[in-house]
Amino acid sequence: MDRTEKRAFVASLAEVFADTSFVLVAQNNGLTVADVSDLRRKMRAAGATYKVAKNRLATLALDGTRFQGIAPLLKGPTALAWSTDPVAVAKTAVEFAKGNDKFVILGGAIGEQTLNVDGVKALATLPSLETLRAQLVGLIQTPATRIAGVLQAPGGQVARVLAAYAKKDEAA
């Protein structure tokens, strides 16, 4: 890379850090091309991006952003993964790390909050953003359904009482 390419890379990475909500740092020492391709495919399916970056350039891109806390993690052969949905990145990375011992999660950051490995694993256990939205909609709909049921119950009871009287009169 020449200087202009490096500047462009740092600028594009800084732009990514400004737009994203979560950044994961992992060590990818000894991964094969097939493993990295598989990981990238899984990350893309989860709506995330996975990129191997030079530590010095990534540190320059982190400077002045809210993710400055992960700069000490950038040592050795590291890679970055990011997404607007933090749970998706964490789940994908933790799942891949279970099956591949050469992929080691170092930590991450949600905004200015820096996470260690345990924090990333805890984040991976949370339900995804879509699941949380569905649960929230379900919680909102439940009271409305119950209110409609309560309002309909007295009318139904009156109808049943009248039907019982009608059957009683027919039988007599």
Side-chain angles (χ1 to χ4, degrees):
M1 273 188 169
D2 64 354
R3 285 182 186 245
T4 56
E5 290 175 326
K6 288 179 183 178
R7 283 190 192 114
F9 180 76
V10 169
S12 69
L13 205 54
E15 186 177 311
V16 164
F17 292 147
D19 293 339
T20 191
S21 64
F22 178 73
V23 176
L24 176 98
V25 181
Q27 197 169 35
N28 59 348
N29 196 8
L31 286 178
T32 64
V33 173
D35 290 338
V36 173
S37 297
D38 183 41
L39 178 58
R40 282 195 172 121
R41 193 175 314 107
K42 289 178 181 179
M43 287 284 187
R44 212 174 304 119
T49 305
Y50 175 83
K51 191 159 195 85
V52 176
K54 288 190 174 276
N55 293 335
R56 188 175 57 79
L57 297 178
T59 305
L60 288 172
L62 284 170
D63 193 33
T65 67
R66 58 189 169 177
F67 298 111
Q68 285 179 331
I70 63 171
L73 299 175
L74 299 174
K75 295 199 179 355
T78 56
L80 302 171
W82 61 84
S83 174
T84 54
D85 183 7
V87 176
V89 177
K91 277 187 181 189
T92 305
V94 168
E95 183 180 310
F96 187 80
K98 286 179 185 175
N100 195 327
D101 58 342
K102 294 179 181 178
F103 182 76
V104 180
I105 298 170
L106 300 175
I110 297 179
E112 294 181 7
Q113 179 71 37
T114 304
L115 302 173
N116 59 9
V117 178
D118 295 329
V120 173
K121 287 181 180 177
L123 186 63
T125 62
L126 293 174
S128 69
L129 189 59
E130 290 80 26
T131 306
L132 288 174
R133 285 180 180 154
Q135 289 174 348
L136 183 62
V137 168
L139 287 173
I140 291 171
Q141 282 182 332
T142 301
T145 305
R146 287 186 182 160
I147 288 172
V150 167
L151 291 176
Q152 289 176 346
Q157 289 174 346
V158 169
R160 283 190 291 276
V161 169
L162 293 175
Y165 278 123
K167 286 183 182 177
K168 183 179 173 184
D169 288 340
E170 287 176 8

